[in-house]
């Protein structure tokens, strides 16, 4: 199997030269929070199979919902037709979404949900007529990650992933990421008096007349290394978007569906965006599905006679796929049935308690946690915050050590990420931390 993998597959975000040289894990099955490889070795799924598996693997209610839907139909298009699971899911999404969002546009990945949000925002202002037609640009944060398609890369800001594509990207205006551990203004929280809020306002004010929307990952910039925004930041951004008349897009692709301890991260700051992107956990990690939610006002901006061509000319072949929607309905129903958001609170507390121990490790620079999203930044020198150079592959080496010990995680550069299924037991959670602690200790002792 490994030979065939190396012969035929090209893996995402992977240096294949290294991949070909090294021994790889090939997963064959999963149950709950455990993954099993083709040799029968078991691992804790410490990053929820890339941040998606909410209820663990082979959740019987989702298995059953997909099987039941298969007896009706696997796929039918939403272009010129509708289907039952797509309608039912849209109603459910609107019921759990922040107030004011009333319409659901489906797609199939986080990136496409963002692409759609950007196009909707752009077209909305174009159709509003003068003087709004100048509102064609976007504001986003440095270090942002919104996906890999060209539009979502344009609003991204991670140099390693995005710089090479620069000639292909549209121009965006950037706000410095509010990254307290490495504050761009050389200040420290809370004495900084939220200087980053002031800078954000300057940018928004400066470009508001030419900006369609601001896009932000609410509370946590995930792919940047789990960077946490200071309290009040998201709320401030909402206020500024309203004040300067630009649309606010909340990219809840990573933070949605309970990850931060509430259904959506926006709820922590009582924020209602104009457009919200969801994907990843929407189907409980079963099938590719995403949605872009908008307000009635935005939706109304696209209504008119056919000949006015205000239609949103966008749609992917698998938009609103009935199997994926059935999985999502079953997944969302479980939150109420199993009281998930209440049940994860003690896990979040236990995780915070366990993570405190990591401060004893010499190379742990900062531990960042929101709900069940965690980033542990490893540094060469804790006092100077000197980062490990990329050649040391510190994150990769720690995760390799974890694998030997029965834990699958995936780093973001020098940041070790853990994002277990919300269904993880306290015992599994503590075992995961034990393995991770030992792995960091082992790998950093010579570095
Ligand atoms: N937006 C955010 C905040 C993400 O974290 C990601 C993926 O990690 C995406 C968008 C892109 O999602 P996908 O990989 O499903 O295209």
């Amino acid at each position: 199997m490994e030979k065939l993998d190396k012969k035929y597959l090209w893996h995402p975000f992977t240096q294949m030269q290294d991949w070909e040289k090294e021994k790889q894990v090939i997963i064959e099955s999963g149950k709950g929070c455990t993954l099993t490889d083709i040799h029968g070795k078991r691992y804790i799924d410490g990053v929820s199979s890339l941040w998606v598996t909410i209820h663990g693997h082979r959740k019987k209610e989702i298995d059953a919902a997909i099987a039941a839907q298969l007896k009706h139909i696997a796929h039918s298009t939403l272009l010129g037709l509708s289907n039952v699971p797509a309608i039912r899911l849209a109603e459910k999404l609107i019921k759990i979404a922040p107030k004011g969002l009333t319409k659901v546009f489906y797609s199939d990945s986080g990136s496409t949900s963002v692409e759609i949000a950007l196009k909707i925002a752009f077209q909305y202002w174009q159709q509003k007529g003068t003087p709004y037609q100048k509102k064609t640009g976007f504001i986003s944060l440095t270090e942002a990650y919104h996906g890999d398609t060209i539009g979502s890369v344009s609003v991204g800001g991670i140099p390693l992933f995005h710089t090479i594509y620069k000639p292909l990207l549209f121009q965006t205006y950037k706000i410095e990421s509010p990254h307290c551990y490495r504050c761009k203004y050389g200040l420290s929280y809370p004495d900084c008096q939220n200087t980053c809020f002031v800078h954000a306002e300057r940018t928004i004010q400066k470009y508001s007349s030419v900006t369609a929307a601001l896009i932000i990952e609410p509370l946590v910039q995930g792919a940047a290394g789990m960077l946490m925004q200071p309290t009040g930041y998201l709320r401030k951004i909402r206020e500024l978007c309203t004040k300067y008349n630009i649309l606010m897009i909340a990219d809840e692709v990573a933070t949605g569906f309970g990850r931060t301890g509430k259904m959506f991260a926006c709820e922590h700051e009582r924020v209602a965006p104009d457009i919200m992107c969801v994907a990843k956990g929407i189907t409980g990690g079963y099938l590719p599905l995403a949605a872009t939610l908008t307000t009635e006002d935005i939706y109304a901006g696209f209504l008119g006679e056919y000949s006015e061509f205000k239609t949103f000319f966008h749609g992917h072949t698998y938009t609103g796929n009935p199997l994926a929607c059935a999985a999502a309905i079953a997944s969302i129903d479980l939150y109420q049935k199993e009281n998930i958001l209440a049940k994860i609170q003690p896990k979040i507390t236990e995780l915070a308690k366990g993570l405190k121990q990591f401060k004893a490790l010499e190379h742990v620079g900062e531990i960042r946690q929101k709900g069940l999203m965690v980033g542990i930044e490893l540094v060469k020198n804790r006092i100077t915050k000197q980062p490990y150079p990329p050649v040391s592959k510190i994150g990769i080496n720690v995760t390799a050590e974890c694998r030997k010990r029965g834990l699958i995680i995936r780093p973001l550069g020098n940041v070790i990420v853990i994002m277990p299924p919300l269904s993880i037991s306290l015992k599994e959670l503590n075992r995961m931390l034990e393995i991770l602690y030992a792995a960091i200790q082992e790998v950093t002792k010579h570095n």
Side-chain angles (χ1 to χ4, degrees), residues 332-384:
I332 292 171
D333 284 348
L334 284 165
Y335 285 82
Q336 209 177 7
K337 189 172 157 217
E338 297 190 351
N339 204 9
I340 288 171
L341 295 175
K343 274 200 197 140
I344 58 168
Q345 303 310 321
K347 299 180 196 180
I348 293 169
T349 311
E350 183 79 1
L351 182 58
K353 211 170 92 196
L355 286 168
K356 271 200 189 133
Q357 323 289 327
F358 283 62
K359 288 192 180 145
L361 294 168
E362 197 192 327
H363 292 278
V364 168
E366 193 185 40
I367 301 165
R368 304 187 272 269
Q369 181 195 0
K370 186 75 200 170
L372 290 179
M373 296 178 90
V374 174
I376 301 172
E377 181 165 341
L378 301 178
V379 286
K380 186 127 184 84
N381 182 321
R382 180 140 76 179
I383 296 160
T384 61

Side-chain angles (χ1 to χ4, degrees), residues 114-129:
V114 167
E115 210 69 41
I116 288 162
L118 300 174
K119 284 177 74 177
I120 286 179
F122 178 89
Q123 192 171 336
Y124 169 79
W125 291 113
Q126 290 305 299
Q127 289 174 179
K128 238 179 155 46

Side-chain angles (χ1 to χ4, degrees), residues 24 43 48 75 91 117 134-135 141 156 169-170 275 281 300 323 327 330 339-340 372 422 434-435 441-442:
Q24 303 300 342
Y43 309 83
S48 303
H75 182 66
E91 183 189 24
K134 282 188 295 178
K135 290 170 83 64
L141 271 59
L169 309 179
F170 54 76
I275 305 180
L323 278 182
N339 204 9
I340 288 171
L372 290 179
L422 305 190
E434 242 173 62
I435 294 175
Q441 199 168 36
E442 178 62 29

Side-chain angles (χ1 to χ4, degrees), residues 377-437:
E377 181 165 341
L378 301 178
V379 286
K380 186 127 184 84
N381 182 321
R382 180 140 76 179
I383 296 160
T384 61
K385 300 183 185 173
Q386 183 195 351
Y388 276 105
V391 284
S392 71
K393 290 192 188 167
I394 198 78
I396 293 173
N397 292 339
V398 168
T399 56
E401 186 63 31
C402 286
R403 283 186 184 193
K404 285 191 214 153
R405 296 164 188 257
L407 169 65
I408 301 259
I409 52 171
R410 188 173 161 81
L412 290 161
N414 296 341
V415 178
I416 307 300
V417 172
I418 42 176
M419 231 206 257
L422 305 190
S423 60
I424 194 167
S425 68
L426 289 181
K427 196 171 159 210
E428 287 166 321
L429 191 90
N430 284 315
R431 178 73 194 128
M432 176 178 75
L433 292 178
E434 242 173 62
I435 294 175
L436 182 56
Y437 189 97

Side-chain angles (χ1 to χ4, degrees), residues 198-238:
V198 178
H199 283 266
E201 176 152 12
R202 271 191 211 144
T203 305
I204 294 173
Q205 183 178 25
K206 185 168 175 197
Y207 297 110
S208 62
S209 65
V210 288
T211 296
L214 175 150
I215 182 164
I216 185 167
E217 296 160 81
L219 297 197
V220 187
Q221 286 192 278
M226 301 294 148
L227 307 184
M228 309 284 162
Q229 293 152 15
T231 310
Y233 187 80
L234 187 69
R235 176 128 210 96
K236 183 72 185 176
I237 292 291
R238 170 69 273 184

Side-chain angles (χ1 to χ4, degrees), residues 13 50-52 108-114 144-149 152 215-218 220-224 226 251-255 277 279-280 289-290 373 419:
F13 280 94
L50 220 58
W51 314 359
V52 297
D108 39 39
S109 72
S111 305
T112 54
S113 73
V114 167
Y145 180 77
H146 297 289
D148 296 335
T149 51
S152 57
I215 182 164
I216 185 167
E217 296 160 81
V220 187
Q221 286 192 278
M226 301 294 148
D251 177 353
E252 291 258 10
V253 168
T255 49
C277 304
K280 285 201 182 281
L289 181 71
M373 296 178 90
M419 231 206 257

